[in-house]
Amino acid sequence: DAGVTQSPTHLIKTRGQQVTLRCSPKSGHDTVSWYQQALGQGPQFIFQYYEEEERQRGNFPDRFSGHQFPNYSSELNVNALLLGDSALYLCASSLTGVSTDTQYFGPGTRLTVL
Amino acid sequence: AQKITQTQPGMFVQEKEAVTLDCTYDTSDPSYGLFWYKQPSSGEMIFLIYQGSYDQQNATEGRYSLNFQKARKSANLVISASQLGDSAMYFCAMREDFYNQGGKLIFGQGTELSVKP
């Protein structure tokens, strides 16, 4: 049973560039959530996708956008990168329609902005 | 305002002993879920245990149990018989509107647990 996978593992970008991170949910899951985790902090919710639409969004600027594909995989795009965007980006998947709706996380993508 | 507080930045425990990691929460929603995750140095967030606000019994999963005290708004994680592999960051998280689908997790700052041989 495949778990949540993310790519790439690590990424180095410079200020002003754009980046795309990818996530494949756990087998059987249909909902994907993205989180940003700065060093030494707990993860912060970016947004959640279900049925190819953004269902909920956290307090992040419009530079952060996403997409969900028909196979439930998802992308996180960040435009005009800032130094403060350096963080671990975590993707979590869950199954909508199940009472507990537990989110399972992938290994993360570590983004460094220089 | 919804909030999770973990007041112990770091904890030490001797191997084979039990340890309690504290978590308090604040919410005005009567329907919420509380979750604990483990994050080793590799970075992956591993789900351990959850408790729904209407669940009557405290949750248990193997060596993990959740000491849920609703009136005190606390949801402490108890790890019995600690093992060296338990050394990691532990995060408490909450999801409001728990019995409906979807919704974000709100995380605390985490507690770093070190297990001594």
Side-chain angles (χ1 to χ4, degrees):
Chain A
D1 182 19
V4 181
T5 60
Q6 292 186 243
S7 64
T9 307
H10 294 86
L11 206 49
I12 299 175
K13 292 286 188 178
T14 57
R15 280 179 296 174
Q17 285 189 311
Q18 179 264 342
V19 68
T20 297
L21 310 183
R22 295 177 175 83
C23 172
S24 291
K26 184 177 166 68
S27 178
H29 284 184
D30 59 7
T31 303
V32 173
S33 304
W34 287 91
Y35 293 82
Q36 180 195 66
Q37 186 178 19
L39 199 61
Q41 305 290 320
Q44 299 288 318
F45 175 75
I46 303 175
F47 42 54
Q48 184 178 87
Y49 277 84
Y50 171 65
E51 291 187 338
E52 302 180 49
E53 293 198 355
E54 185 183 285
R55 176 156 70 180
Q56 191 174 10
R57 188 179 181 92
N59 189 24
F60 278 80
D62 292 345
R63 298 187 299 109
F64 289 78
S65 63
H67 189 77
Q68 185 179 35
F69 298 94
N71 67 352
Y72 309 120
S73 68
S74 178
E75 288 182 349
L76 164 65
N77 301 292
V78 187
N79 294 323
L81 284 167
L82 304 174
L83 296 179
D85 295 332
S86 294
L88 179 68
Y89 288 84
L90 293 163
C91 167
S93 74
S94 54
L95 177 60
T96 290
V98 176
S99 61
T100 60
D101 202 14
T102 298
Q103 295 183 21
Y104 293 87
F105 284 79
T109 294
R110 193 166 296 279
L111 172 65
T112 302
V113 182
L114 302 176
Chain B
Q2 45 194 303
K3 189 177 179 182
I4 292 284
T5 302
Q6 295 180 255
T7 57
Q8 306 154 314
M11 290 277 288
F12 288 91
V13 65
Q14 207 69 35
E15 192 178 8
K16 299 181 185 177
E17 291 186 349
V19 63
T20 298
L21 306 183
D22 294 342
C23 172
T24 58
Y25 59 92
D26 189 20
T27 179
S28 57
D29 189 342
S31 170
Y32 54 88
L34 296 155
F35 300 79
W36 278 92
Y37 288 86
K38 171 185 177 182
Q39 188 176 42
S41 55
S42 59
E44 183 170 355
M45 198 76 74
I46 301 166
F47 166 70
L48 298 177
I49 195 169
Y50 82 91
Q51 177 92 35
S53 59
Y54 295 130
D55 294 345
Q56 296 297 316
Q57 306 262 7
N58 283 348
T60 60
E61 286 287 348
R63 294 187 300 111
Y64 305 107
S65 61
L66 202 155
N67 184 2
F68 180 47
Q69 298 187 43
K70 199 168 181 177
R72 297 181 60 186
K73 293 192 171 181
S74 74
N76 298 339
L77 176 70
V78 181
I79 305 174
S80 63
S82 296
Q83 301 172 356
L84 296 178
D86 293 335
S87 295
M89 281 291 286
Y90 288 80
F91 288 95
C92 179
M94 176 173 67
R95 183 158 63 82
E96 294 183 327
D97 199 20
F98 179 65
Y99 297 93
N100 286 321
Q101 273 68 59
K104 63 183 179 185
L105 287 170
I106 302 154
F107 285 85
Q109 292 289 86
T111 295
E112 184 168 10
L113 178 66
S114 298
V115 181
K116 296 182 181 178

